């Protein structure tokens, strides 16, 4: 088929021309684009020289390839590719100079409608490397359902990466005035997890919160092998460095997924002194968990850390309620929660399984206005 131009709420989706290539090279050189694209980079040689010709050939196979323009300026790309009979896959990129203007959403709506109405697609698939929260947010906003994670689902320049997968069926497309439930929360969290994890000051002398690193592995192993930690948490018995290495791997993956926010308590010498974590649940809800290393107890640091992380949760993650749970005999954890402003709601019987068998859990909650100063 011949290329078709689409109008998309102030955008124009047009066939690729040589005039687009300098700006496309700028797009592909952006660090965030490089982080999530799978194509070979840097973009040079025959791939660049033959780009316009190749895109026109794709049109001949009914695989549309569009340059996305706004006021004549290249602001992204949009493509549909046949994958199975009746199914197409959508891919899109937004230029760094056009982020935050809904370019992907506007382009997706036009491209998806074209795929269903003109090309007879019965399903349009979407995928993105885990951690590409901007792509995921645009997909959710326009009506895609994220269906899961394909482990090792894509090869990115020699590295195996997990990817989110999803799809849209006819009738699923969302209009600009029809956002999904809790979209404001999803948008705030996508922005947070896309940016580098920031260090946090706590207001407590000698204490700051920072991301976990390989330098913390021995400290994590020692803290998690402590008898009190073992008593009140489902830590592996005989916790060692290999367990700490798996912990680090799991927490980094949870950050990419946008499931958890973990911080290390670090002293003036940057030594690992414990950890505090928000585990995201239903939209607007989270559970807080924490662990103080034996060598850092009795300083009031965990109370300061919990208050600071809860403040981040309310302010940056749009949380509306944070829950705390602990074994009824874990009085130290309860004191921290109460000093931070949590209110005990009750006890759930035999809620958790641990080294002492199934145990009750004390439940407490915190709302933004209750957070202690």
């Amino acid at each position: 088929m011949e290329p078709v131009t689409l109008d998309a709420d102030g955008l124009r989706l047009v066939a690729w021309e040589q005039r687009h290539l300098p700006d496309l090279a700028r797009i592909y050189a952006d660090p965030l684009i490089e982080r999530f694209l799978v194509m070979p980079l840097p973009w040079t040689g025959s791939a660049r020289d033959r780009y316009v010709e190749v895109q026109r050939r794709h049109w001949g196979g009914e695989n549309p390839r569009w340059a996305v323009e706004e006021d004549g300026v290249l602001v992204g790309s949009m493509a549909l590719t046949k994958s199975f009979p009746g199914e197409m896959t959508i891919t899109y990129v937004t230029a760094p100079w056009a982020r935050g203007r809904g370019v992907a959403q506007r382009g997706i709506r036009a491209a998806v409608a074209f795929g269903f109405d003109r090309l007879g697609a019965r399903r349009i698939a979407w995928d993105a490397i885990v951690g590409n929260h901007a792509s995921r947010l645009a997909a959710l906003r326009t009506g895609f359902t994220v269906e899961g994670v394909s482990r090792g689902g894509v090869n990115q320049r020699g590295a195996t990466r997990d990817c989110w997968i999803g799809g849209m069926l006819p009738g699923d497309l969302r209009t600009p005035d029809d956002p999904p439930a809790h979209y404001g929360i999803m948008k705030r969290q996508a922005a947070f997890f896309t940016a580098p994890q920031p260090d946090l000051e706590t207001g407590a002398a000698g204490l700051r919160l920072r991301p976990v690193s390989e330098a913390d592995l021995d400290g994590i192993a020692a803290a998690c092998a402590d008898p009190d930690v073992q008593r009140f948490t489902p830590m592996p018995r005989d916790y060692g460095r290999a367990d700490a290495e798996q912990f680090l791997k799991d927490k980094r993956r949870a950050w990419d997924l946008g499931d958890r926010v973990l911080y290390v308590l670090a002293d003036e010498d940057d030594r690992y002194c414990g950890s505090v974590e928000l585990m995201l649940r239903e939209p607007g809800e989270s559970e807080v968990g924490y662990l103080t290393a034996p060598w850092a107890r009795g300083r009031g640091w965990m109370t300061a850390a919990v208050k600071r992380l809860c403040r981040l949760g309310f302010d940056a993650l749009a949380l509306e309620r944070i829950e705390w749970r602990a074994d009824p005999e874990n009085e130290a954890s309860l004191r921290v929660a109460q000093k931070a402003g949590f209110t005990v709601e009750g006890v759930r019987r035999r809620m958790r399984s641990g080294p002492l068998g199934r145990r009750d859990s004390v439940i407490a909650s915190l709302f933004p206005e209750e957070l202690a100063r």
Side-chain angles (χ1 to χ4, degrees):
M1 67 186 302
E2 289 298 311
V4 176
T5 296
L6 303 178
D7 291 317
D9 190 18
L11 303 177
R12 282 177 64 81
L13 279 61
V14 302
W16 286 97
E17 300 178 12
Q18 289 295 130
R19 64 185 176 85
H20 294 126
L21 299 193
D23 280 340
L24 185 58
R26 290 173 57 207
I27 292 173
Y28 287 160
D30 178 73
L32 194 59
I33 301 295
E34 181 179 1
R35 178 180 168 190
F36 294 119
L37 282 188
V38 299
M39 61 181 284
L41 293 173
W43 186 57
T44 58
S46 61
R48 178 171 177 172
D49 296 340
R50 299 176 57 243
Y51 186 81
V52 172
E53 173 192 346
V54 170
Q55 305 315 299
R56 186 166 287 275
R57 266 198 234 151
H58 278 301
W59 273 102
E62 295 191 341
N63 295 308
R65 299 290 189 269
W66 290 285
V68 181
E69 295 183 347
E70 187 173 42
D71 298 327
V73 176
L74 183 71
V75 292
S77 66
M78 192 69 53
L80 291 172
T81 304
K82 293 178 181 178
S83 45
F84 301 103
E87 177 172 298
M88 306 193 81
T89 298
I90 191 167
T91 53
Y92 46 89
V93 172
T94 299
W97 52 86
R99 289 173 185 150
R101 304 210 301 257
V103 167
Q105 296 175 26
R106 289 182 280 164
I108 288 169
R109 291 189 185 98
V112 163
F114 184 84
F116 286 136
D117 298 341
R118 295 285 298 275
L119 300 178
R122 296 190 297 273
R123 182 180 188 272
I124 295 179
W126 161 89
D127 62 70
I129 289 175
V130 167
N132 190 351
H133 292 275
S135 179
R136 184 176 185 271
L137 184 70
L140 289 168
R141 178 62 184 84
T142 51
F144 282 87
T145 297
V146 177
E147 296 161 344
V149 174
S150 177
R151 295 180 301 159
V154 67
N155 185 291
Q156 185 191 42
R157 300 186 288 277
T160 301
R161 303 288 300 277
D162 294 350
C163 60
W164 283 308
I165 55 175
M168 181 188 293
L169 304 179
D172 289 346
L173 183 63
R174 290 184 175 276
T175 60
D177 59 354
D178 179 32
H182 310 294
Y183 178 69
I185 294 174
M186 291 190 289
K187 187 174 181 180
R188 292 269 294 279
Q189 293 182 359
F192 179 80
F193 285 108
T194 298
Q197 185 176 357
D199 286 5
L200 302 177
E201 297 299 326
T202 65
L207 174 68
R208 67 186 178 93
L209 305 183
R210 60 162 174 78
V212 63
S213 73
E214 286 83 357
D216 299 318
L217 292 176
D218 289 337
I220 292 170
C224 292
D226 176 72
D228 284 339
V229 173
Q230 292 272 312
R231 177 185 176 192
F232 292 123
T233 64
M235 294 290 181
R237 304 301 95 185
D238 302 317
Y239 197 104
R241 187 179 172 90
D243 297 300
E245 290 171 350
Q246 185 61 48
F247 172 88
L248 177 63
K249 180 179 178 181
D250 291 345
K251 297 309 177 183
R252 286 180 169 172
R253 185 172 188 271
W255 172 270
D256 287 341
L257 287 166
D259 288 344
R260 300 187 174 208
V261 180
L262 175 82
Y263 273 95
V264 161
L265 283 70
D267 63 15
E268 292 174 325
D269 297 321
D270 203 37
R271 184 186 184 188
Y272 173 89
C273 291
S275 62
V276 59
E277 180 178 33
L278 286 173
M279 296 156 277
L280 304 187
R281 306 300 191 205
E282 297 300 317
E285 298 184 19
S286 179
E287 180 183 346
V288 67
Y290 41 88
L291 179 161
T292 306
W295 53 89
R297 291 172 185 160
R299 306 181 189 181
W301 280 3
M302 187 53 73
T303 299
V306 169
K307 289 194 291 185
R308 182 63 185 90
L309 188 59
C310 289
R311 173 52 59 201
L312 179 139
F314 292 134
D315 292 346
L317 300 174
L319 296 181
E320 299 164 344
R321 181 181 186 273
I322 300 175
E323 188 168 274
W324 165 89
R325 306 175 185 179
D327 188 289
E329 295 182 10
N330 193 346
E331 296 179 359
S333 182
L334 175 60
R335 286 195 298 272
V336 168
Q338 289 177 325
K339 289 178 181 177
F342 283 80
T343 297
V344 173
E345 297 178 343
V347 176
R348 293 188 64 180
R349 298 185 300 159
R350 300 180 187 177
M351 182 180 182
R352 287 185 170 179
S353 179
L356 301 179
R358 295 208 66 87
R359 300 279 292 176
D360 296 349
S361 281
V362 181
I363 309 294
S365 62
L366 179 72
F367 296 95
E369 67 275 10
E370 297 171 345
L371 180 61
R373 297 292 180 183

